[in-house]
Amino acid sequence: MIDNGRRLLAVGSILVLGLLVACGTGSSSGGGTGSNANCNTSQPTQGVTSSQITLGETLPLTTAGPSPQQTVDGSQAYYDMINAAGGVKGRKIKLIARDDQYNPSMALQQMRNLVQQDKIFAVAGGQGTPNFLAQAPFLNTQAVPAIAPYAPSSELGNMKYPHVYMTSVNYITEFQIMTRRVLDNFSPKGFGLVGVQGNVGDDSKQGMKQAIGSSGKPLLYIPEQPGTPDLTPIATQLKSSGADWVFLILTPSDTGGLLKAMQRIGYQPRLAAWAGMSDQTYIDQFGDLSQGMIVAQELALPDASDPDVQKYVQQFTKQTGRAPSGFNNSLGWSQAELTVKALQDAPALTRSCVEYALNQVKDFKTGILPPITFGASERQGVNAVGLVQIEGKTVKQIASFKSV
Amino acid sequence: MPAVLAVGSLGNTLQVILGGLATGGLYAVLLLGVIVVFQVSKNVNFAYGELGVIGAFVGYVLYSTLHWPTPLALALGVAAAVVLAAVTDLTLIRRIPDRQGFDLVVTLGALLLLTAGTDVVFGSADRQYLNLFSDKARIVGGVYINAGDLLSLGLGLVALVGGHLIVNETGLGVSLRASAEDPAIARSMGIDVLSLRTAVWAASGLLAAVASMVIASRLVLDARYMTPVIINVFIAGMLGGLDRYWPPMLAAFGVGLYNSLAGYIFGSDASTPALFILVLAVLIIAPKRFLEERHEARA
């Protein structure tokens, strides 16, 4: 009887302990690499005081036009709204945005500064793929959660980087969906792709190849070095390949420059481009060269009738006194929205508990992104892409969000 | 080095050659300003391209935002670069101690300051500049002869020949050469060497602004669009020698053409490495005498 009682007590204790761990209230370590599905409420942390939570991000603030600053503005607007309402768990949120100049080595240095000097609690947002990819291994070793960086890459969104929670679809998926759309609707003769050299361009090419499959349509891929001073050779290569559809994944300035070079040599293919080209600042300047361009849509259009979208537009307008400018304001807002949800849902303000909260996110609606879902081994929160087309000085939706 | 992408028809190759020569022509316009400043005041101005950017921006704001007549707006943009270049000489260069390399540090600082200032004053957005005839073309043998390309090429040829004639066939040229050779003797001949130097800096501002406006019409306008361009210009100057005239000016055309053909044949991402391979090749292959006796050859 006594033995049975001890046995029952032991089994019961193990079950209770297991339940506690499963519920995330156990005491497993939150540091190091690997999956972080548990919440350690007593984990040593930084960047959290009784009155403030410090978050950080890096973006190419001085080398990629106004877009990254607009992203910061979008995030800041959301944090200002939350802070005005009392903050998170009684603490105001402070966002530090550092300039990485779209330079991987600079980006890594700036992330080190954020973590080791500024003592940030977590990475919230950020923008740019090669720059973030340079930071990801460092964030892994430091076990710093990175929430919704805009760095579409097949390298991310999986358990290789378990502390990185992606809400941007990678370029393989994005270009696969765009290419399928063109194949299904336009009978293209051949494709051209000009992409930033490296992971960005390679992923885009892979997505296009997957969509083209056995259709036999030719694809000419031209990797481009940002800031190329003469774009005539690229335009001529595309023209000589006979491509009647050209896909672009370049900086806005190189996109504009390449379209001008195409104009100079009388080459007028149909165009498709990555999501950033739907931003109003690009359309205002280069819309006349980009008429009919199909653009991947990762974020809802501000004029959509969806009540969640309208709620976002109203809140943003109330907070800033103006309507959101498009892609980048919306991106920043959505990054901040997910970050705040994770902070609010975390059982305690430790990194492991914030990651625990992120792992519980299911169909979270921001009004901007398709519903976000993470899991214990799921780091790609969004998998759907829509399509818009540049018409006049605005964009028009031509296909709703769709998963691969 | 990536694999050869494709070499298309003769027409396409000629198209790339035309584009390369047009770009080289604009390099030549810019390099003329670098050469005359170097020869007369012995300074290398790293902020040179940014002077042109500011001129282009001033023109843009006047015609686009304030809706001034375009020719007037562009003329005032050029004037702004001229004044800024002259002020750079008057306020910075003249005060530099006669210590080798000091001008590099000062003009590099000016570059950073002007770039940041351009961002603050004009914003960091990419802007589309005037077409400057690049929307007009005729097709000859499958090649689009674009008026914008012809403008760039023409400006380069005018700079090439005009610069030579001014330096060698005019009284101003005699004064310039005298000031470059020996300022003390030039002063004893009654030449106001300091004013002449400032005038040369101002003229370089004019060249930078004109070239920058045309380049903006081919690319886009932002605070940094001239940076990769000016690097190629300095490479051409280094290859030909800033103490000479014809070799660097012809090298400017050559660099534009070489870069375009390398990009066309090997791919865009190969054009920059190809340029540095060219520099290494010249340093290794060129006769030692060519590299050492530059100071003997003057315009």
Side-chain angles (χ1 to χ4, degrees), chain A residues 62 197 230 237 240 260 285, chain B residues 128 217 224 260 264 269:
Chain A
T62 57
Q197 63 179 2
D230 179 12
Q237 278 176 340
S240 64
K260 285 190 153 195
Q285 283 299 320
Chain B
Q128 188 176 176
S217 79
R224 290 167 181 78
S260 292
Y264 181 58
D269 55 343

Side-chain angles (χ1 to χ4, degrees), chain A residues 104-380:
Chain A
S105 57
M106 172 70 84
L108 177 57
Q109 185 55 47
Q110 290 289 48
M111 185 52 72
R112 284 182 186 279
N113 291 339
L114 282 170
V115 174
Q116 294 169 346
Q117 290 178 14
D118 300 326
K119 305 284 184 191
I120 61 166
F121 175 59
V123 176
Q127 194 166 9
T129 303
N131 35 346
F132 186 80
L133 284 175
Q135 301 167 341
F138 171 70
L139 295 173
N140 238 16
T141 60
Q142 300 291 310
V144 179
I147 305 169
Y150 185 77
S153 167
S154 58
E155 287 285 299
L156 305 169
N158 53 57
M159 296 309 287
K160 181 179 176 185
Y161 295 108
H163 305 287
V164 179
Y165 294 80
M166 299 296 293
T167 56
S168 52
V169 177
N170 69 50
Y171 291 130
I172 295 176
T173 304
E174 189 168 311
F175 276 68
Q176 193 176 356
I177 288 175
M178 277 198 297
T179 308
R180 277 188 188 164
R181 167 83 185 182
V182 172
L183 283 166
D184 291 345
N185 293 277
F186 297 101
S187 303
K189 293 177 191 162
F191 292 98
L193 166 66
V194 189
V196 175
Q197 63 179 2
N199 185 273
V200 170
D202 292 345
D203 275 4
S204 309
K205 181 180 75 171
Q206 191 181 332
M208 290 186 75
K209 277 190 159 184
Q210 285 175 3
I212 290 170
S214 58
S215 72
K217 305 291 182 190
L219 167 65
L220 173 69
Y221 170 50
I222 304 175
E224 189 256 6
Q225 188 173 354
T228 298
D230 179 12
L231 293 153
T232 308
I234 295 178
T236 310
Q237 278 176 340
L238 290 167
K239 188 181 180 186
S240 64
S241 77
D244 58 344
W245 274 89
V246 170
F247 284 51
L248 303 170
I249 181 156
L250 304 170
T251 63
S253 57
D254 284 348
T255 302
L258 180 57
L259 296 182
K260 285 190 153 195
M262 289 178 176
Q263 185 188 52
R264 278 200 302 277
I265 65 168
Y267 178 47
Q268 293 178 313
R270 295 293 309 273
L271 300 166
W274 70 289
M277 296 301 93
S278 65
D279 195 72
Q280 198 58 45
T281 51
Y282 172 81
I283 296 169
D284 286 344
Q285 283 299 320
F286 303 104
D288 61 327
L289 296 169
S290 311
Q291 288 301 298
M293 177 190 274
I294 292 176
V295 181
Q297 181 196 17
E298 295 179 12
L299 314 173
L301 297 178
D303 60 358
S305 57
D306 185 306
D308 289 326
V309 178
Q310 288 311 305
K311 181 183 167 195
Y312 148 63
V313 173
Q314 284 169 8
Q315 287 179 330
F316 185 96
T317 306
K318 185 180 174 188
Q319 192 61 39
T320 63
R322 62 176 178 81
S325 73
F327 183 84
N328 291 288
N329 279 165
S330 302
L331 173 66
W333 183 279
S334 69
Q335 291 170 330
E337 204 171 349
L338 179 62
T339 303
V340 167
K341 175 174 175 57
L343 294 172
Q344 282 172 336
D345 291 354
L349 287 175
T350 66
R351 285 173 172 168
S352 63
C353 291
V354 165
E355 291 206 52
Y356 169 78
L358 283 164
N359 285 334
Q360 312 307 311
V361 170
K362 296 274 183 294
D363 288 327
F364 175 57
K365 291 181 181 175
T366 60
I368 298 168
L369 294 162
I372 302 166
T373 297
F374 294 113
S377 59
E378 179 57 63
R379 294 295 177 270
Q380 184 66 49

Side-chain angles (χ1 to χ4, degrees), chain A residues 10-130:
Chain A
V11 170
S13 301
I14 290 168
L15 285 174
V16 169
L17 190 64
L19 200 62
L20 284 172
V21 169
C23 288
T25 54
S27 57
S28 62
S29 168
T33 58
S35 174
N36 198 340
N38 305 321
C39 169
N40 177 358
T41 56
S42 57
Q43 179 188 27
T45 192
Q46 65 176 35
V48 178
T49 66
S50 58
S51 60
Q52 184 173 286
I53 301 169
T54 306
L55 305 170
E57 63 176 337
T58 80
L59 314 88
L61 292 170
T62 57
T63 55
S67 304
Q69 185 57 52
Q70 290 171 355
T71 305
V72 177
D73 294 344
S75 292
Q76 192 60 57
Y78 189 80
Y79 293 134
D80 288 345
M81 183 179 78
I82 294 296
N83 287 342
V88 175
K89 295 183 168 50
R91 296 164 173 87
K92 299 290 170 63
I93 294 174
K94 179 186 175 187
L95 176 67
I96 301 173
R98 282 182 174 264
D99 180 22
D100 61 31
Q101 299 178 10
Y102 204 57
N103 176 328
S105 57
M106 172 70 84
L108 177 57
Q109 185 55 47
Q110 290 289 48
M111 185 52 72
R112 284 182 186 279
N113 291 339
L114 282 170
V115 174
Q116 294 169 346
Q117 290 178 14
D118 300 326
K119 305 284 184 191
I120 61 166
F121 175 59
V123 176
Q127 194 166 9
T129 303

Side-chain angles (χ1 to χ4, degrees), chain B residues 164-190:
Chain B
H164 172 75
L165 291 176
I166 288 172
V167 170
N168 289 289
E169 306 292 337
T170 65
L172 174 63
V174 173
S175 299
L176 286 172
R177 280 183 288 153
S179 301
E181 285 293 337
D182 194 324
I185 292 178
R187 271 188 217 101
S188 71
M189 292 165 60

